[in-house]
Amino acid sequence: MYKDILVHIPTERPMRAVIDGSISLAASLNAHVDAVAVGYVASTAAYVMEGGAAVAAVFEMERERAVERAEAALAVFRTEAANADISSTCHPLGAIPADAATSLGEMARLHDLSVVLQPDPEQVTFDNDIPREILFQAGGPVLFLPYTFRGTFKAKRIGICWDGSRVAARALRDAATFLARAEQIVILAINEPDTAAGDVSASNLARHLGRRGLSTHTVSLTAARADIQPTILSLAADENLDLLVMGGYGHSRLQERFLGGVTRAMLEAMTIPTLMSH
């Protein structure tokens, strides 16, 4: 059960989607929400600290202004959370981007679920980088909300993107709270051979979920790698899904994060809320 939720409130992008989504989700689960917003300090400001007390004072002034920007973003969340009568705590941070990413990653590890805004490929902001960092660092489920999302979050009809991989299995387990409350679950079997009968086949997954008392049906998906993401979204529309569950593919090398092709495409063109685990 998700009882402790972390939500990242952007300071450089519209915040309504994550505010609406996280508060309505917490209300439905009677969960606590820790809301964190980051006012970013330019990296160059940090370097001047080596210049002595005077420049260190300048940096501290920049950090204080950054915290004020974070406070302003959280003020909107605080008002909506009070109106919804949910338990919440606000955490304003002022930090350079690298430190902010580390802090949020560490916070995410102590929460049942993290809620973030879909990155916008048309904008170059530090708030675009934070969701990806949380996905890599959280060690748990991350709920991405499309920046077009409005209103109340619901997960009555859920699609499981299933290819039998480790990350798909991790996402499946991490979505247990949503799955247990769903009215319908659709298994989207991705490029599964007609003869598939292994332990990780879609049919075996359906039997496994059936033992939990969950109703499922399977839709087979066959597509070239470049077409997997649009095919998934097309099926999601056909099935009137509220939520997708999928593995977040990618790897880290020399402190750089590389998302897999399907994961990257999904984040760029997301149309419904998507729970990912890495």
Side-chain angles (χ1 to χ4, degrees):
M1 180 67 73
Y2 307 133
K3 284 299 183 182
D4 209 12
I5 298 172
L6 177 71
V7 58
H8 171 235
I9 306 296
T11 58
E12 301 178 336
R13 300 180 55 203
M15 64 187 76
R16 178 51 59 183
V18 287
I19 290 178
D20 287 352
S22 62
I23 288 177
S24 59
L25 173 60
S28 69
L29 297 174
N30 192 27
H32 176 85
V33 179
D34 281 310
V36 58
V38 183
Y40 298 98
V41 180
S43 299
T44 52
Y47 298 146
V48 301
M49 290 184 68
E50 298 178 359
V55 289
V58 172
F59 173 77
E60 182 58 25
M61 289 177 58
E62 289 296 323
R63 193 193 68 80
E64 290 176 359
R65 290 171 184 159
V67 171
E68 290 175 359
R69 293 193 294 273
E71 286 277 17
L74 289 170
V76 181
F77 172 87
R78 189 179 288 110
T79 298
E80 295 297 333
N83 290 338
D85 195 27
I86 67 164
S87 172
S88 67
T89 307
C90 292
H91 306 270
L93 301 179
I96 63 174
D99 290 347
T102 298
S103 294
L104 267 72
E106 291 175 349
M107 292 177 71
R109 293 171 205 159
L110 294 178
H111 288 78
D112 301 322
L113 176 71
S114 299
V115 180
V116 300
L117 184 64
Q118 170 200 8
D120 185 350
E122 300 300 320
Q123 296 190 33
V124 181
T125 72
F126 294 123
D127 274 335
N128 258 344
D129 297 331
I130 289 296
R132 180 178 61 177
E133 288 296 322
I134 292 176
L135 176 62
F136 274 100
Q137 296 190 42
V142 180
L143 177 63
F144 287 84
L145 295 177
Y147 43 75
T148 57
F149 179 86
R150 295 293 183 274
T152 302
F153 175 84
K154 62 180 181 179
K156 294 181 179 179
R157 295 182 60 82
I158 299 177
I160 300 172
C161 301
W162 184 252
D163 62 359
S165 66
R166 182 196 66 80
V167 291
R170 176 60 188 270
L172 175 70
R173 293 189 183 95
D174 284 345
T177 295
F178 288 136
L179 296 176
R181 299 161 63 91
E183 295 177 359
Q184 182 63 51
I185 298 170
V186 182
I187 299 172
L188 306 178
I190 303 173
N191 290 337
E192 185 174 68
D194 293 338
T195 57
D199 290 338
V200 295
S201 67
S203 59
N204 274 346
L205 173 59
R207 280 192 287 271
H208 166 68
L209 294 176
R211 295 186 186 109
R212 299 191 204 171
L214 302 178
S215 173
T216 68
H217 76 270
T218 300
V219 176
S220 296
L221 182 163
T222 301
R225 186 167 186 81
D227 296 328
I228 290 176
Q229 176 266 346
T231 304
I232 289 174
L233 292 181
S234 177
L235 285 172
D238 292 343
E239 295 287 337
N240 194 29
L241 300 180
D242 302 313
L243 175 70
L244 283 172
V245 174
M246 64 182 293
Y249 295 84
H251 63 277
S252 175
R253 185 177 66 197
L254 299 177
Q255 302 303 312
E256 294 185 359
R257 312 295 190 186
F258 297 92
L259 291 173
V262 176
T263 303
R264 183 175 60 253
M266 183 63 71
L267 293 183
E268 290 177 353
M270 184 179 295
T271 55
I272 63 172
T274 302
L275 183 142
M276 292 187 182
S277 294
H278 175 64

